[in-house]
Amino acid sequence: MGILASQILQDFRVQGLVTEQLGPDVAFETIQPVETCTSEDLVFADGEQYIPTVLDRKPAITVTNKSLASSLVEAGLSVIVSPNVKLSQALFRQKYTDTDFHDSEWGQVHSSAVIHESVNIPASTVIGPGTVIGKDVKLGENCVVMANTVIEHDVLVGDDTIIHSNVVVGWGCKIGSRVFLKSGCIIGSEGFGYAQDQQRKHYRIPQQGIVVVEDDCTIGTNNVLDRAAFEETRIGSGSIFDSLVHVAHNVKMGKDCIMLAQTVIAGSTEIGDRVIASGQTGILDHLKVSNDVVLLHRAGVTQDIKEPGMYGYLPLQPLKTYIKNAAAMKKLSDIKRSVSRLEKQMAKLNEE
């Protein structure tokens, strides 16, 4: 690769991601973890525990914070100083070593793709083998649609969006720009809507709304986002989903949320901005969750959450209360024995 430390400073200084380059102005060839790096690599070290290994292995360039930089410079190493080493890792790797999804071995449009005659494929967009693209789909610039994906009619996809293999985007849905749809996810499956008669026989209620995924979202592997009954299910910009997340019909989610694996959000619930749900969180239907809520330890949300904060478990509790109760749970058998002794003592006193 041969990228100099001074070039990194030039690429990222304006946005404040790096502040200075210290030591010799050398080049790196690739980015590797500290533990296995060589003298040709760039590494990231944001804690004191990494410094002995860096000093021993002597990578070409070390990205670290101001407080750790001096010992590396004294050892003659090239250092990039960053106020946010982890963010630097994300953006450096995106710029210098990320997968080029446009570099397809199949060419721009594979001959096996089935594309409706009404669809214009921009010259900058890549279409993989076995894809199906329906009538009046609009694809933005610099998109990639990988193998065996289905995009049904009247879908809108923004610029720079990457759609991995075996994705289904249902009719009429809207996908923003710079979105990642990972393998096997389904956007716009029919929402789970049924009515019953007196004999409890089920009658399907057609779901005729859409799903809107706003800009800069990541929808993880095997996610399912159901279309709305009438209007739209909406995922706010910048939200990121882990694998195996289910969002039911008519859900409205705010910006920059994080939904971890096996989270389930039932229909017509409204989620605020910057909400985090840890693995296996469950949220019932027709609820409202405030901005800046963090849901932990398999949280089960059964009522509105009106205040920002950290909540956990079922029944849902403020996290501090949950931790105290969880600690007390471990002593329940001892508490029961103590209560039994007290009851016996009280009974004896009453007899006297």
Side-chain angles (χ1 to χ4, degrees):
M1 187 174 296
I3 296 174
L4 290 167
S6 56
Q7 181 63 50
I8 298 172
L9 185 66
Q10 181 178 329
D11 289 343
F12 289 100
R13 190 170 194 169
V14 172
Q15 57 188 284
L17 189 62
V18 299
T19 56
E20 53 187 327
Q21 184 263 316
L22 305 172
D25 186 17
V26 298
F28 76 95
E29 294 300 324
T30 188
I31 298 175
Q32 294 294 334
V34 170
E35 295 81 4
T36 59
C37 69
T38 72
S39 60
E40 296 183 337
D41 298 330
L42 179 146
V43 302
F44 300 89
D46 60 352
E48 291 184 3
Q49 69 271 27
Y50 299 112
I51 300 305
T53 307
V54 171
L55 292 172
D56 178 55
R57 301 191 73 93
K58 294 181 171 55
I61 302 171
T62 302
V63 183
T64 190
N65 56 55
K66 184 68 173 178
S67 65
L68 299 176
S70 58
S71 62
L72 302 181
V73 175
E74 289 171 3
L77 298 180
S78 178
V79 174
I80 296 288
V81 178
S82 172
N84 190 331
V85 175
K86 190 167 186 179
L87 181 59
S88 293
Q89 180 176 176
L91 297 186
F92 284 20
R93 292 179 68 183
Q94 282 185 28
K95 182 172 181 64
Y96 301 129
T97 64
D98 199 4
T99 301
D100 183 1
F101 294 108
H102 292 82
D103 186 17
S104 171
E105 67 268 43
W106 307 114
Q108 190 218 351
V109 179
H110 194 269
S111 59
S112 66
V114 179
I115 302 172
H116 193 274
E117 62 183 10
S118 63
V119 178
N120 175 52
I121 305 297
S124 58
T125 287
V126 174
I127 308 296
T131 56
V132 177
I133 301 178
K135 183 180 179 181
D136 293 330
V137 167
K138 292 181 172 56
L139 293 173
E141 298 286 345
N142 298 307
C143 292
V144 176
V145 183
M146 297 185 192
N148 298 318
T149 282
V150 176
I151 302 177
E152 296 179 350
H153 65 86
D154 295 297
V155 166
L156 174 64
V157 179
D159 297 336
D160 303 299
T161 285
I162 308 297
I163 304 178
H164 286 253
S165 300
N166 299 307
V167 169
V168 176
V169 182
W171 54 266
C173 292
K174 298 179 181 179
I175 310 298
S177 296
R178 300 172 302 281
V179 170
F180 276 83
L181 301 182
K182 294 189 178 181
S183 296
C185 70
I186 300 175
I187 312 299
S189 54
E190 183 164 89
F192 193 73
Y194 291 85
Q196 292 179 321
D197 62 18
Q198 292 180 340
Q199 286 73 44
R200 298 181 67 183
K201 183 176 180 180
H202 308 299
Y203 297 86
R204 170 179 160 269
I205 300 172
Q207 307 288 292
Q208 296 175 314
I210 62 172
V211 175
V212 178
V213 179
E214 296 182 0
D215 296 345
D216 301 301
C217 288
T218 295
I219 308 300
T221 301
N222 292 333
N223 280 208
V224 177
L225 278 56
D226 288 347
R227 66 174 61 248
F230 289 103
E231 296 176 349
E232 61 183 35
T233 300
R234 178 174 286 268
I235 308 300
S237 62
S239 294
I240 54 176
F241 288 18
D242 195 2
S243 302
L244 300 171
V245 173
H246 179 213
V247 177
H249 58 186
N250 310 312
V251 167
K252 303 291 190 296
M253 181 175 294
K255 299 177 180 179
D256 299 314
C257 293
I258 303 174
M259 301 287 119
L260 296 181
Q262 299 182 4
T263 289
V264 175
I265 305 172
S268 300
T269 282
E270 297 181 19
I271 306 292
D273 297 336
R274 299 172 300 279
V275 172
I276 300 174
S278 67
Q280 298 187 334
T281 292
I283 305 175
L284 286 184
D285 57 294
H286 294 85
L287 299 181
K288 293 185 178 181
V289 177
S290 170
N291 296 339
D292 301 301
V293 165
V294 180
L295 300 168
L296 300 166
H297 290 246
R298 297 180 178 176
V301 182
T302 58
Q303 58 188 10
D304 292 349
I305 302 178
K306 299 179 180 179
E307 298 294 333
M310 302 175 74
Y311 301 84
Y313 206 55
L314 178 65
L316 198 70
Q317 307 156 53
L319 189 64
K320 290 183 179 179
T321 303
Y322 162 64
I323 291 172
K324 292 177 181 177
N325 289 339
M329 286 284 287
K330 297 177 181 179
K331 302 178 181 179
L332 277 182
S333 58
D334 294 335
I335 294 169
K336 183 177 183 297
R337 283 194 293 270
S338 297
V339 171
S340 296
R341 285 196 299 268
L342 289 171
E343 288 175 340
K344 291 177 182 178
Q345 292 172 4
M346 290 295 296
K348 288 181 179 178
L349 289 173
N350 289 335
E351 289 174 0
E352 295 174 1

